[in-house]
Amino acid sequence: MNLNGVKAIYVHEMDRARRTIFQSLVSPVISTSLYFVVFGSAIGSRITEIDGVSYGSFIVPGLIMLTMMTQSVTYASFGIFFPRFTGTIYEVLSAPISHIEIVIGYVGAAVTKSLIVGLVILSTAGLFVPIQIAHVEWMVLFLLLTSITFSLFGFLIGIWADTFERLQIIPLLVVTPLVFLGGSFYSVDMLPELWQKITYFNPVLYLVSGFRWSFYEISDVSVMISLAMIAIFLLICITLTWWIFKTGYKLKE
Amino acid sequence: MSPLIEIENLSKIYDNGHVALDRVSLDIKEGELIALLGPNGAGKTTLISIICGLVRPSSGHVTVAGHDIIEDYLHTRKLIGLVPQELPIEPFESVIKSVSFSRGLFGKPADPDYIEKLLADLSLSDKKLSQIKSLSGGMKRRLLIAKALSHEPRILFLDEPTAGVDVNLRMEMWDLIHQLKESGVTVILTTHYIEEAEEMADRVAVINNGTIIVVERKADLMRKMGKKQMYLELQSPIATIPEQLRPYDLRIQDNGQVLLYNYETRKERTGITSLLKDLSTVGIGFKDLRTEQSSLEDIFIDLVEERIDVLERAERSMALDLSES
């Protein structure tokens, strides 16, 4: 096992985050704070409690999920796309390092970054609204699984994309709508019946629901279904990643 | 001693049907400096990209230090450093971090002293904290060499190390490559500059259209393939070549002032002695004599053209066969 190689990629990626600290950390925190101001204080004060939880507190898990999902995808996709774009990927591809090790290096760094962002947002949210965490171990599990899954998904996008435009298009057209419509800001039963049915096809719903359950023990679907859904999504991403390295898709001729 | 790199019947056909390499075989010995010489698109980069793991071969085998480059890639790649032709760089990274990254990536534990020394050897010490984007072209190339050497490889591939580089920098690069060879590193460089191969290589492999036309020690190649020309400056001009001198390959130049004799050094008898004797017999005197040897460039052009001739002839005969049948 080339541990030095994994470490080199990981440190290199974390270094990039340090160089771009504003983009990496400050901007998600600022935008999340804006959500709290708008939804939590301004609008939220006019919304009644949902299942006994004030609206401001209700949206905290969803906001953390929303930011972590989009940031995981961004970090991981950019991390692998950028060396492909500059051509420096040649070094990684010619190094004595296995495919799994390459993925651990890049995805590990993206997971770390999005976990940091998630925890920073959690503590920022604590400044605005009261928060209680009923099941810390479940919260950590959901945080980990979500950031690993979406980082892997981002890694795949970063390999698939040939241009900066393509790099943005999936997060913009797929991830963001799914995340917004996945119950981050509302409970599913607040929707009309037709939309409720449609929402159950949105995988993000299950993640947000399970994550929220770990905070307030309220959920749209059972926590086990949530867990099963994220496991399925994770398996799909792992399979696709394995296929990419096996075939050399967009990496080797 | 078995060769350090053994290439056996290596072929590469790209998805678009382009045959980049056609059954190439080549052995490279430890410690030698071999030049892969050929025009653009000859297959040089494909060849080294396969050995380094960037391109998958269509068929054939390569072993490095006895290990297969595909099955045992974790072992073979540790021994190899690659300096690519383009200058791919991570613009915002610092020089020293970039070189340390390469060392780690190739599985070596951090060694700040070695990295410092390497940067000093490549005159990059005072730039070590600079962002890479601020470096000049020559410095970027030296940085890529430093990255390739960061894990102390036994083999160094240099893909067109002096392409688009000015004369001073080219000399500098040549010095550097000589030093690397002295230090025991096996160097494989690709070039389409003949003078570069002539200046540096122990052996030259001429490659064109995906096949290796010839592999020879440089000196042998020049001796075998080399033509020499002898210029005789005559005392009095002549208009025609006398009958007696017809058997020699002679030409009159400069209004009969100069007689030019072509001969091949690979022949046992060059015919110079008898030519000079016959000249005095027919009464042609000369005041001066000089000889010129063909450069690797002439040899190269001959080889490539000969190859094209052979191909054209083959094509023509195939076309004939087809029309007949």
Side-chain angles (χ1 to χ4, degrees):
Chain A
M1 175 120 189
N2 183 354
L3 280 178
N4 286 315
V6 176
K7 192 176 138 206
I9 293 177
Y10 183 83
V11 169
H12 181 256
E13 284 304 300
M14 293 308 283
D15 223 37
R16 191 206 307 287
R18 217 167 298 140
R19 280 200 305 269
T20 55
I21 187 89
F22 193 81
Q23 260 167 287
S24 306
L25 198 60
V26 180
S27 73
V29 169
I30 287 182
S31 58
T32 316
S33 303
L34 289 175
Y35 282 123
F36 278 119
V37 172
V38 175
F39 291 110
S41 309
I43 300 175
S45 56
R46 289 157 191 265
I47 297 178
T48 51
E49 289 188 347
I50 301 171
D51 296 329
V53 179
S54 78
Y55 185 69
S57 303
F58 178 84
I59 62 170
V60 171
L63 273 180
I64 294 172
M65 273 291 178
L66 183 145
T67 312
M68 280 190 47
M69 286 173 192
T70 47
Q71 289 301 312
S72 296
V73 170
T74 307
Y75 293 144
S77 63
F78 195 76
I80 188 73
F81 177 79
F82 196 62
R84 284 181 61 226
F85 178 74
T86 57
T88 50
I89 189 81
Y90 84 89
E91 221 182 349
V92 177
L93 294 178
S94 66
I97 183 164
S98 70
H99 303 149
I100 296 172
E101 289 161 349
I102 295 176
V103 174
I104 293 175
Y106 280 106
V107 171
V111 168
T112 311
K113 285 185 259 187
S114 74
L115 281 178
I116 292 173
V117 169
L119 294 176
V120 169
I121 290 172
L122 181 62
S123 18
T124 316
L127 303 175
F128 291 90
V129 289
I131 296 170
Q132 61 157 98
I133 302 169
H135 306 281
V136 176
E137 68 287 356
W138 281 93
M139 185 201 81
V140 173
L141 182 69
F142 272 108
L143 275 181
L144 263 178
L145 284 177
T146 307
S147 53
I148 291 173
T149 306
F150 279 75
S151 296
L152 263 178
F153 186 54
F155 187 81
L156 294 171
I157 294 173
I159 286 179
W160 166 80
D162 289 326
T163 58
F164 271 102
E165 202 191 2
R166 279 185 128 192
L167 188 67
Q168 312 274 3
I169 209 149
I170 299 230
L172 200 69
L173 292 185
V174 181
V175 179
T176 310
L178 284 183
V179 166
F180 267 86
L181 301 175
S184 298
F185 296 107
Y186 50 82
S187 172
V188 181
D189 36 271
M190 291 161 82
L191 294 173
E193 204 173 328
L194 175 68
W195 282 101
Q196 282 193 29
K197 289 212 174 82
I198 293 174
T199 305
Y200 284 115
F201 286 98
N202 182 351
V204 174
L205 168 80
Y206 300 88
L207 307 185
V208 172
S209 168
F211 191 54
R212 188 178 288 131
W213 176 84
S214 73
F215 279 71
Y216 309 120
E217 291 184 305
I218 50 168
S219 61
D220 293 317
V221 291
S222 126
V223 66
M224 281 306 159
I225 294 180
S226 292
L227 204 58
M229 285 302 283
I230 191 159
I232 290 170
F233 194 28
L234 182 60
L235 271 177
I236 293 173
C237 289
I238 290 175
T239 312
L240 278 173
T241 314
W242 173 82
W243 175 82
I244 276 184
F245 278 108
K246 190 173 173 357
T247 58
Y249 172 76
K250 300 237 178 164
L251 287 175
K252 291 186 188 190
E253 291 186 85
Chain B
M1 199 178 72
S2 63
L4 186 56
I5 303 176
E6 282 183 274
I7 303 165
E8 205 185 307
N9 279 322
L10 194 66
S11 295
K12 174 66 190 179
I13 303 160
Y14 284 104
D15 290 342
N16 61 12
H18 173 64
V19 181
L21 290 178
D22 186 13
R23 282 159 294 161
V24 166
S25 295
L26 179 67
D27 287 348
I28 296 167
K29 288 186 280 289
E30 175 119 47
E32 76 171 327
L33 199 164
I34 185 163
L36 301 174
L37 178 64
N40 290 325
K44 307 182 295 275
T45 301
T46 301
L47 180 60
I48 65 176
S49 297
I50 289 176
I51 303 173
C52 295
L54 300 176
V55 171
R56 293 158 187 264
S58 303
S59 63
H61 294 281
V62 182
T63 62
V64 175
H67 296 269
D68 186 88
I69 54 155
I70 304 221
E71 280 156 29
D72 278 340
Y73 73 99
L74 292 178
H75 189 97
T76 61
R77 292 189 195 169
K78 274 184 195 154
L79 308 174
I80 297 174
L82 165 67
V83 183
Q85 187 174 343
E86 276 94 37
L87 299 172
I89 50 143
E90 177 107 29
F92 308 109
E93 206 177 23
S94 73
V95 167
I96 192 149
K97 280 193 173 159
S98 179
V99 178
S100 309
F101 166 70
S102 304
R103 185 179 170 88
L105 194 59
F106 278 74
K108 290 262 177 158
D111 185 347
D113 292 344
Y114 175 75
I115 302 287
E116 291 280 348
K117 187 183 168 296
L118 187 60
L119 291 179
D121 288 347
L122 288 157
S123 343
L124 285 169
S125 287
D126 49 340
K127 289 280 176 189
K128 67 179 178 188
L129 298 176
S130 308
Q131 283 194 332
I132 296 175
K133 65 173 182 175
S134 71
L135 301 185
S136 70
M139 287 181 203
K140 280 179 190 158
R141 207 170 276 279
R142 290 205 301 271
L143 167 65
L144 287 182
I145 295 178
K147 280 165 80 72
L149 292 173
S150 64
H151 60 284
E152 301 159 69
R154 271 161 75 188
I155 303 162
L156 183 67
F157 285 94
L158 292 156
D159 197 359
E160 303 269 357
T162 61
V165 157
D166 70 28
V167 180
N168 284 337
L169 199 55
R170 185 177 301 173
M171 297 293 181
E172 214 176 273
M173 210 57 79
W174 287 356
D175 274 348
L176 185 65
I177 296 168
H178 275 305
Q179 284 169 28
L180 289 173
K181 185 187 144 47
E182 306 270 286
S183 71
V185 178
T186 305
V187 182
I188 296 103
L189 72 92
T190 74
T191 182
H192 59 264
Y193 295 118
I194 285 122
E195 51 170 340
E196 191 157 284
E198 200 164 355
E199 162 75 25
M200 289 197 291
D202 299 320
R203 282 199 304 157
V204 178
V206 179
I207 178 166
N208 192 38
N209 284 325
T211 52
I212 290 188
I213 302 173
V214 65
V215 193
E216 283 277 6
R217 294 196 62 78
K218 184 182 65 188
D220 292 345
L221 183 68
M222 306 227 358
R223 200 178 61 235
K224 271 193 191 167
M225 302 299 298
K227 285 184 187 136
K228 269 194 151 187
Q229 294 177 319
M230 183 167 69
Y231 294 86
L232 294 161
E233 258 181 64
L234 303 180
Q235 273 168 348
S236 46
I238 54 166
T240 52
I241 293 165
E243 190 62 37
Q244 229 177 323
L245 300 178
R246 285 282 153 87
Y248 301 97
D249 181 9
L250 289 173
R251 245 166 276 168
I252 296 171
Q253 283 189 336
D254 291 348
N255 301 322
Q257 308 258 3
V258 172
L259 205 54
L260 169 65
Y261 173 49
N262 281 308
Y263 62 99
E264 285 178 24
T265 45
R266 64 180 137 168
K267 285 193 177 154
E268 254 176 53
R269 288 176 173 278
T270 55
I272 295 175
T273 328
S274 58
L275 173 66
L276 294 182
K277 215 160 71 191
D278 289 343
L279 277 174
S280 73
T281 319
V282 296
I284 299 176
F286 55 91
K287 18 179 210 200
D288 199 7
L289 174 155
R290 72 192 154 88
T291 61
E292 266 179 18
Q293 185 156 22
S294 56
S295 68
L296 204 46
E297 181 150 20
D298 305 320
I299 299 170
F300 175 70
I301 290 168
D302 282 353
L303 281 170
V304 172
E305 276 177 357
E306 200 175 290
R307 193 77 186 181
I308 290 166
D309 281 353
V310 170
L311 284 175
E312 272 177 2
R313 249 176 278 145
E315 255 171 38
R316 244 177 277 141
S317 68
M318 254 165 65
L320 271 175
D321 287 349
L322 285 174
S323 61
E324 275 166 11
S325 59

